[in-house]
């Protein structure tokens, strides 16, 4: 009865359902944002999600070998001690299915499902200035309204299938890794072509090669990769992680990337060549992203970076037996770490298999896809399956595919025509009460994502709580604050080697026509957190509240 009345209350006019806050996406962000607004502030909040289940990235990315390269004990929420104690990770790096199970566990643990609408895509969000209300419409024609709109759409959720002529003629099957069939793909007896050698392609190739008749990897740009050295977690480690969760969390939130390890306080030049080799050797044996943290100047000093790059190149040449293939895999056009560094399980070793071929499509580009396979300028490859491991229209893509319009009908697309402009990655001038969790201009993809997500959600929740306590209903970033933040974001990137990778998706370079702007904030998560806190403490400096 009470529920019926609440439902009736929510229906305002026509078919519009009214809430205090709407949240788009049921991944790490959406689940925690719902819990925070509903259970901490007592708001009537609703999550809208296109998938038929919760999980976000981990709902969609079911490609073979999909696994996170943040260590499992750090790739989770830290807001609840009970949750930390109740969940147990099984491996050093969590696989897709285990992360999806975790997020389902969280949804049940906090009774979130009743406030999540699944299976319908948000297509538009328009701001009613007079009423301070966001109007949201879905593909199925459902209409919702709320004063606050929070996007938790992820940074890597808009699949990028390259526009290669002839794809529609292909008689075999093709898949993008980010929209993988739930029933899986049987590669046995098949000739498979994989385009793309980013983090995804590097994870997928060894697994596909193990069951396919033949795998042809089409490489445009060679990539660095560090062995993951994944392994089951020992009981001793699980106990350690549980008992030391406060200390581990402290490390995560006080370093630049949100991982559970600190960057060593030493310069490459401060050690002898012999010591340096020993340090790299040890880091290579330990595996994972910790490799990047063995010296503090790897991401800011090209000469220092060259030593790490040379070490990895020599490892590739050591592993890969065929010298021509080894040369193709180790001819790298960017400094180590300036494109997102993958971690792998037997990626380079895969090219020693008899059923795997590497094709260099930089020197012999793909011309078209035919009925029977892929044709390059100089050759033809007959294939039964094509796997596109070609990445995403990253960071801005998931936001821009929703038709978002703020004050005076200003569309987000127009506001960002020359590249994204936000204040702290959290808000866009002209779009009051819209919060973009892990939006462009925030550290997001340069960090261990759940740590960045928790920080954004906490900041937004505190902000809304304070506004309500002060009788305020509207918050909007000023144009000046957003302009200054873009300058600061550019400056932060320029202080690193990151812009040297000119084909990186951090810059939008992987999507033809996309403005080339370094999108994430590279000034370090710990500095960014301090900045966000200072802004809030100064009465939300750079925002107008009313
Ligand atoms: O995508 P990518 P991804 N013709 O953009 C190639 C996260 N992630 O899905 O470098 C031919 O990195 C492209 O070539 P090039 C992680 O943040 C995390 O692999 O542009 N090739 C490149 O080789 C990661 O960075 C995890 O020359 C084309 C590849 O496709 C992000 O997701 C696992 C092409 C795309 O690489 C994205 O990774 C997986 C074309 N037209 C992903 N277009 C973990 O946590 C693109 N390519 C472990």
């Amino acid at each position: 009865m009470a529920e019926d009345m609440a439902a009736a209350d929510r229906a305002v006019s026509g078919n519009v359902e009214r809430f205090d806050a709407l949240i788009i996406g049921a991944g790490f962000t959406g689940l925690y944002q719902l819990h925070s607004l509903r259970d901490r502030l007592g708001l009537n909040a609703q999550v809208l999600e296109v998938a038929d289940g919760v999980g976000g990235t981990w709902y969609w990315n079911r490609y073979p070998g999909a696994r996170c390269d943040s260590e499992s004990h750090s790739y989770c929420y830290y807001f609840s001690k009970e949750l930390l104690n109740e969940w147990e990770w099984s491996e050093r790096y969590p696989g897709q299915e285990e992360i999806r199970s975790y997020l389902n566990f969280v949804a049940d643990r906090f009774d979130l499902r009743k406030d999540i609408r699944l299976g319908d895509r948000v297509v538009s969000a328009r701001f009613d200035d007079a009423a301070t209300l966001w109007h949201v419409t879905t593909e199925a024609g459902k209409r919702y309204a709320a004063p606050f709109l929070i996007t938790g759409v992820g940074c890597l959720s808009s699949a990028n299938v390259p526009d290669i002529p002839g794809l529609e003629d292909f008689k075999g099957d093709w898949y993008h890794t980010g929209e993988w069939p739930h029933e899986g793909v049987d590669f046995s007896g098949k000739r498979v072509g994989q385009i793309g050698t980013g983090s995804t392609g590097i994870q997928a190739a060894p697994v596909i090669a193990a069951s396919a008749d033949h795998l042809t990897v089409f490489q445009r740009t060679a990539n660095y990769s560090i062995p993951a050295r994944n392994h089951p977690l020992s009981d001793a480690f699980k106990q350690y992680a549980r008992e030391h969760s406060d200390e581990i969390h402290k490390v995560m939130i006080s370093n630049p990337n949100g991982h559970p390890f600190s960057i060593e306080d030493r310069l490459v030049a401060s050690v002898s060549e012999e010591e340096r080799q020993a340090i790299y050797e040890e880091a290579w044996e330990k595996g994972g992203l910790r490799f990047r943290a063995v010296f503090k100047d790897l991401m800011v000093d090209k000469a220092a970076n060259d030593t790490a790059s040379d070490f990895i190149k020599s490892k590739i040449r050591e592993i890969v037996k065929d010298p021509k293939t080894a040369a193709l895999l180790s001819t790298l056009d960017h400094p180590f770490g300036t494109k997102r560094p993958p971690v792998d399980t037997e990626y380079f070793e895969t090219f020693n298999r008899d059923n795997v071929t590497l094709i260099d499509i930089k020197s012999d580009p793909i011309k078209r896809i035919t009925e029977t396979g892929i044709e390059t300028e100089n050759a033809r490859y007959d294939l039964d399956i094509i796997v596109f491991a070609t990445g995403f229209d990253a960071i801005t893509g998931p936001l821009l595919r929703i038709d978002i319009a703020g004050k005076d009908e200003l569309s987000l697309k127009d506001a960002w025509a020359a590249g994204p402009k936000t204040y702290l990655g959290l808000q866009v001038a002209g779009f009051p009460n819209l919060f973009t969790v892990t939006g462009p201009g925030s550290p997001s993809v340069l960090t261990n994502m759940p740590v960045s997500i928790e920080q954004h959600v906490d900041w937004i929740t505190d902000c809304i709580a304070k506004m309500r306590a002060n009788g305020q209903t509207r918050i909007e970033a000023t144009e000046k604050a957003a302009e200054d933040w873009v300058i600061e974001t550019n400056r932060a990137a320029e202080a690193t080697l990151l812009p040297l990778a000119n084909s990186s998706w951090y810059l939008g370079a992987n999507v033809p026509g996309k403005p080339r702007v370094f999108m994430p904030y590279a000034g370090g998560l710990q500095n960014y957190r301090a900045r966000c806190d200072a802004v809030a403490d100064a009465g939300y400096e750079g925002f107008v509240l009313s």
Side-chain angles (χ1 to χ4, degrees):
M1 178 68 175
E3 276 189 12
D4 287 353
M5 284 172 68
D9 266 0
R10 291 202 297 257
V12 279
S13 62
N15 295 326
V16 183
E17 266 191 88
R18 168 74 195 260
F19 293 94
D20 296 328
L22 289 165
I23 301 158
I24 309 176
F28 266 99
T29 295
L31 297 182
Y32 182 41
Q33 189 69 75
L34 171 61
H35 172 60
S36 300
L37 292 179
R38 189 191 70 183
D39 302 333
R40 237 185 87 195
L41 303 193
L43 298 194
N44 180 14
Q46 187 76 197
V47 173
L48 307 173
E49 165 62 57
V50 59
D52 288 326
V54 305
T57 289
W58 302 103
Y59 177 90
W60 297 106
N61 279 273
R62 303 182 190 218
Y63 61 86
R67 186 176 290 285
C68 185
D69 54 15
S70 293
E71 294 176 29
S72 57
H73 67 294
S74 67
Y75 198 75
C76 52
Y77 297 111
Y78 267 71
F79 68 84
S80 160
K81 242 318 180 273
E82 293 77 24
L83 176 61
L84 276 170
N85 288 332
E86 287 163 23
W87 183 262
E88 191 169 286
W89 295 105
S90 66
E91 293 175 89
R92 178 182 183 186
Y93 295 101
Q96 173 268 334
E97 198 46 53
E98 191 167 18
I99 306 171
R100 201 167 72 85
S101 300
Y102 169 73
L103 290 170
N104 273 285
F105 177 78
V106 171
D108 291 330
R109 168 74 176 71
F110 295 98
D111 196 17
L112 300 174
R113 291 186 200 279
K114 63 183 186 208
D115 294 307
I116 301 174
R117 308 274 168 98
L118 296 170
D120 195 5
R121 181 184 291 282
V122 169
V123 290
S124 82
R126 313 197 88 76
F127 185 65
D128 177 343
D129 202 1
T132 308
L133 212 54
W134 279 97
H135 283 273
V136 170
T137 309
T138 69
E139 212 158 50
K142 296 263 168 50
R143 292 161 65 203
Y144 305 92
F148 292 102
L149 176 63
I150 299 149
T151 60
V153 291
C155 294
L156 298 160
S157 54
S158 185
N160 170 40
V161 178
D163 192 12
I164 301 173
L167 180 56
E168 63 286 358
D169 301 330
F170 183 54
K171 292 271 191 267
D173 296 317
W174 66 268
Y175 309 95
H176 186 281
T177 49
E179 292 171 352
W180 202 256
H182 291 192
E183 64 281 11
V185 176
D186 183 4
F187 293 107
S188 48
K190 305 282 188 197
R191 296 160 303 172
V192 183
Q194 176 185 306
I195 305 178
T197 52
S199 298
T200 299
I202 280 175
Q203 288 185 328
V207 186
I208 297 174
S211 62
D213 183 47
H214 193 91
L215 172 66
T216 307
V217 176
F218 295 87
Q219 171 186 280
R220 189 164 67 179
T221 311
N223 217 334
Y224 297 90
S225 186
I226 307 294
R229 314 276 184 220
N230 187 36
H231 54 72
L233 290 176
S234 65
D235 288 342
F237 182 83
K238 289 177 194 171
Q239 190 180 344
Y240 162 82
R242 207 166 274 152
E243 286 174 2
H244 295 81
S245 61
D246 288 342
E247 288 143 78
I248 292 168
H249 190 230
K250 205 163 158 205
V251 173
M252 285 156 61
I253 62 173
S254 53
N255 72 44
N257 49 41
H259 286 291
F261 48 86
S262 300
I263 296 174
E264 296 289 342
D265 188 22
R266 66 182 166 210
L267 297 168
V268 165
S270 68
V271 299
S272 70
E273 161 122 36
E274 206 181 2
E275 277 175 275
R276 195 170 65 229
Q277 285 302 111
I279 287 167
Y280 285 142
E281 205 53 73
E282 191 190 341
W284 183 266
E285 280 317 308
K286 283 190 181 152
L289 293 174
R290 288 173 190 253
F291 186 92
R292 206 176 32 174
V294 293
F295 292 107
K296 68 175 174 185
D297 50 348
L298 290 182
M299 295 311 299
V300 292
D301 179 337
K302 175 74 169 52
N305 188 291
D306 284 347
T307 65
S309 297
D310 289 345
F311 177 86
I312 299 169
K313 288 177 198 171
S314 73
K315 282 290 177 193
I316 299 171
R317 288 192 290 263
E318 205 177 289
I319 296 168
V320 181
K321 295 199 178 103
D322 171 48
K324 202 170 147 243
T325 307
L328 277 179
L329 290 165
S330 61
T331 304
L332 290 140
D333 69 353
H334 56 284
F336 166 64
T338 55
K339 288 172 100 168
R340 170 69 148 58
V343 304
D344 71 274
T345 299
E346 313 251 297
Y347 174 64
F348 296 115
E349 289 83 348
T350 294
F351 294 94
N352 293 332
R353 295 178 65 111
D354 292 338
N355 70 335
V356 177
T357 315
L358 180 68
I359 301 300
D360 173 23
I361 52 169
K362 194 152 254 170
S363 65
D364 184 18
I366 293 178
K367 198 160 73 178
R368 66 171 149 253
I369 293 173
T370 65
E371 282 189 11
T372 54
I374 291 179
E375 206 174 296
T376 61
E377 295 290 340
N378 299 318
R380 270 182 47 186
Y381 302 90
D382 287 338
L383 302 167
D384 304 305
I385 295 176
I386 299 175
V387 173
F388 288 96
T390 44
F392 302 89
D393 180 357
I395 305 181
T396 50
L399 288 164
L400 290 175
R401 71 177 169 182
I402 304 169
D403 177 17
I404 301 178
K407 285 193 312 198
D408 306 321
E409 296 285 306
L410 173 67
S411 76
L412 191 61
K413 211 170 174 183
D414 287 342
W416 285 0
K421 189 163 40 154
T422 71
Y423 182 35
L424 299 170
L426 275 163
Q427 266 219 343
V428 186
F431 296 74
N433 290 8
L434 169 68
F435 293 103
T436 50
V437 176
T438 65
S442 76
S444 67
V445 292
L446 299 178
T447 70
N448 178 25
M449 286 298 262
V451 188
S452 283
I453 288 168
E454 276 195 332
Q455 184 254 342
H456 264 190
V457 169
D458 288 341
W459 192 95
I460 293 164
T461 307
D462 287 348
C463 173
I464 295 176
K466 283 181 198 155
M467 286 173 68
R468 286 165 66 85
N470 294 335
Q472 293 159 326
T473 56
R474 182 189 285 229
I475 177 166
E476 181 184 351
T478 67
E479 189 65 39
K480 169 89 174 68
E483 269 165 19
D484 289 349
W485 187 248
V486 169
I487 293 168
E488 212 167 318
T489 303
N490 287 335
R491 208 178 280 147
E494 279 155 20
T496 71
L497 302 175
L498 288 162
L500 294 184
N502 54 20
S503 68
S504 146
W505 59 259
Y506 294 152
L507 272 169
N510 62 329
V511 176
K514 191 165 172 171
R516 290 211 175 193
V517 174
F518 194 87
M519 294 182 282
Y521 174 74
L525 180 61
Q526 81 288 32
N527 298 327
Y528 174 82
R529 294 176 71 92
R531 181 61 174 272
C532 290
D533 290 347
V535 163
D537 291 346
Y540 295 95
E541 196 176 20
F543 293 94
V544 175
L545 286 102
S546 56

